[in-house]
Amino acid sequence: MVDAKPSRGVQRREALLQAATDVFLEQGYAATSIDAIIERAGGSKRNIYSEFGNKENLFTAIVAANAAKAVAALAIEEIDARDLRSTLTVFGHRLMDIYMSPSLLGVYRVIISESQRFPALVKKFYNQGPGRASARLAEVLEQARARGDIETADCVKAADHFVSMIRGNLHLQVLVGLRSPPRAKEVAEMVESVVELFLRGVTAR
Amino acid sequence: MVDAKPSRGVQRREALLQAATDVFLEQGYAATSIDAIIERAGGSKRNIYSEFGNKENLFTAIVAANAAKAVAALAIEEIDARDLRSTLTVFGHRLMDIYMSPSLLGVYRVIISESQRFPALVKKFYNQGPGRASARLAEVLEQARARGDIETADCVKAADHFVSMIRGNLHLQVLVGLRSPPRAKEVAEMVESVVELFLRGVTAR
DNA sequence: GTCTATATTGCGATAGAC
DNA sequence: GTCTATCGCAATATAGAC
């Protein structure tokens, strides 16, 4: 799996992408200058323009890459769906980890800020991220309903509710810098609280 | 209650604030030029600088004003708390209306985009908005628990869950322009779905 | 390096309030 | 009529894409 030796060109490109990621996701699109990226990556501005053409291209490239990375981390297909409580708990933890990761927080910030300017980026991000997570969870819930484990009018809505509770005010607070990301203990308590409320809310009785 | 006749100075100020609100909340802080505001409000740039000093002051003024307006619309103290289901339903509808109002959506966008640049604004917004809503709902839930109507380990967390479900993916989708705000019917269905899940999740049995 | 965009300021002309 | 807020327009200065 390890590529033997990246060519110098590839290395340059990676370095530029990394520097761009750091600056864009922290400062936002408008506030980021090409100079700031070069300051981090070294080299010459000329380099960025020959690699990426312009600022917008560089931006969309790094956002798409980071969003894809987050999606991969969710690995939602691999979750064992036999026991609903453990399924939801594992799923909740993965979601929470992703929501609290600095890179996805950055993606959220820029996606929200620049949604008018880059609608295509928004669509891609949503469908691969929150949309896919909700859709996959809805499938799991449908199965549980078919087994008679739960009873709920609308599995799609229920999945949305679960994902929204996991995101929660915590995500918003961290997103705007009102507080630092939670420690493992707090995460566990929050996930447990969500799973508990959710399960009681949908379980057949 | 009607003030007889606003002086010319006050009228000018209002017009400037309104134009600034329109442009800032749609375009964001960085993308908004003073020229664009003047184009809308008419008059001279000089005026803005003598009224507000600089762009930052104008920005914080309009954000604070719009956030305060949303808080007032929540009118959370006036909600009758005797029957929990109707309380939650009414509360849910008010929250949803506010979350879907163009001005609060704009405030969300700029607050998230400019959180690093204006941390004080963020704090004020959060404490008066989402924070206060959650806190007030937590009080209502405490009362219900004292009456034995519900049983939940942590009313503060439960309140957070409720508010987060109401906000939900819907808010995110509208926020980033992925879809238009929901019609009354869809709102009602969503609120009902949330209330149902929540009540079943916390009701004593 | 070039060129555009834009925040901020200066100042004489003008229009309402009194 | 005076007086003051407002206007129109130009000038300055800086930043940043390319």
Side-chain angles (χ1 to χ4, degrees):
Chain A
M1 276 310 251
V2 177
D3 296 328
K5 190 188 286 186
S7 73
R8 196 157 64 102
V10 173
Q11 279 186 17
R12 271 315 291 143
R13 195 186 160 86
E14 292 301 323
L16 288 174
L17 282 171
Q18 188 53 54
T21 298
D22 293 346
V23 186
F24 272 130
L25 295 194
E26 175 162 344
Q27 316 265 352
Y29 179 78
T32 295
S33 69
I34 303 290
D35 284 319
I37 296 171
I38 285 305
E39 209 168 293
R40 234 166 228 266
S44 132
K45 265 194 286 192
R46 203 55 238 166
N47 217 322
I48 286 196
Y49 287 102
S50 40
E51 272 295 333
F52 301 97
N54 59 33
K55 188 178 172 181
E56 290 197 1
N57 276 336
L58 178 55
F59 179 71
T60 55
I62 72 105
V63 173
N66 280 276
K69 216 168 54 182
V71 169
L74 189 56
I76 197 172
E77 280 77 11
E78 299 167 15
I79 294 175
D80 176 13
R82 278 169 304 185
D83 172 49
L84 191 55
R85 179 179 291 269
S86 70
T87 302
L88 291 174
T89 303
V90 170
F91 186 55
H93 270 280
R94 291 217 190 143
L95 267 181
M96 188 72 97
D97 284 350
I98 293 172
Y99 277 131
M100 294 302 156
S101 73
S103 73
L104 196 69
L105 286 165
V107 170
Y108 257 88
R109 270 187 225 106
V110 298
I111 285 280
I112 292 170
S113 319
E114 306 298 330
S115 53
Q116 308 75 40
R117 200 199 293 254
F118 302 100
L121 205 55
V122 169
K123 197 164 190 173
K124 194 177 205 174
F125 166 72
Y126 186 85
N127 290 336
Q128 294 192 342
R132 215 174 66 118
S134 260
R136 173 68 182 128
L137 179 57
E139 287 173 20
V140 171
L141 294 178
E142 289 286 3
Q143 291 168 20
R145 179 161 68 174
R147 286 197 307 266
D149 289 351
I150 66 174
E151 109 196 349
T152 179
D154 186 335
C155 288
V156 171
K157 276 199 178 63
D160 249 39
H161 298 334
F162 182 82
V163 172
S164 298
M165 283 193 281
I166 290 287
R167 197 188 310 134
N169 280 334
L170 202 47
H171 181 246
L172 179 59
Q173 286 175 290
V174 176
L175 190 66
V176 297
L178 258 184
R179 53 157 294 171
S180 48
R183 305 272 169 199
K185 182 161 170 288
E186 193 178 355
V187 170
E189 286 169 4
M190 185 58 76
V191 171
E192 196 200 326
S193 170
V194 170
V195 169
E196 187 63 30
L197 174 62
F198 185 82
L199 272 182
R200 287 176 61 161
V202 298
T203 301
R205 61 197 63 178
Chain B
M1 273 315 248
V2 178
D3 296 329
K5 190 188 287 187
S7 72
R8 192 160 64 109
V10 173
Q11 279 187 16
R12 261 339 270 137
R13 189 170 218 275
E14 294 300 324
L16 289 174
L17 283 172
Q18 188 53 56
T21 299
D22 293 345
V23 186
F24 272 131
L25 294 194
E26 175 161 343
Q27 316 267 353
Y29 179 79
T32 295
S33 70
I34 303 291
D35 284 317
I37 296 171
I38 284 306
E39 209 168 292
R40 234 165 226 266
S44 145
K45 264 190 290 190
R46 206 68 191 76
N47 213 332
I48 288 193
Y49 286 97
S50 33
E51 274 294 335
F52 301 98
N54 58 35
K55 188 178 171 182
E56 290 198 1
N57 275 335
L58 178 56
F59 179 71
T60 56
I62 71 104
V63 173
N66 280 278
K69 216 168 53 181
V71 169
L74 189 56
I76 197 170
E77 279 78 11
E78 298 166 15
I79 294 175
D80 177 13
R82 278 171 301 185
D83 173 49
L84 191 54
R85 178 179 291 268
S86 72
T87 302
L88 290 175
T89 303
V90 170
F91 187 55
H93 270 279
R94 291 217 190 143
L95 267 181
M96 188 72 96
D97 285 350
I98 293 173
Y99 276 131
M100 293 302 154
S101 72
S103 73
L104 196 69
L105 286 165
V107 169
Y108 257 88
R109 271 186 224 106
V110 299
I111 285 281
I112 291 171
S113 319
E114 305 300 329
S115 52
Q116 339 21 217
R117 200 199 292 256
F118 302 101
L121 206 55
V122 170
K123 198 165 190 171
K124 195 178 206 174
F125 167 73
Y126 186 85
N127 289 336
Q128 294 191 343
R132 215 174 66 118
S134 259
R136 174 67 181 129
L137 179 57
E139 287 173 20
V140 172
L141 295 178
E142 289 286 4
Q143 291 167 20
R145 179 161 69 174
R147 287 196 306 266
D149 289 350
I150 66 175
E151 113 196 345
T152 178
D154 185 337
C155 288
V156 171
K157 275 199 179 63
D160 249 39
H161 297 333
F162 183 82
V163 172
S164 298
M165 281 192 282
I166 290 287
R167 197 188 309 134
N169 280 334
L170 202 47
H171 181 247
L172 179 60
Q173 285 175 290
V174 177
L175 191 65
V176 297
L178 257 184
R179 52 158 294 171
S180 48
R183 306 269 170 202
K185 181 161 172 288
E186 193 178 355
V187 170
E189 285 169 5
M190 186 58 76
V191 171
E192 197 200 327
S193 170
V194 169
V195 170
E196 187 62 32
L197 175 61
F198 185 82
L199 272 182
R200 286 177 62 161
V202 300
T203 301
R205 58 199 64 178

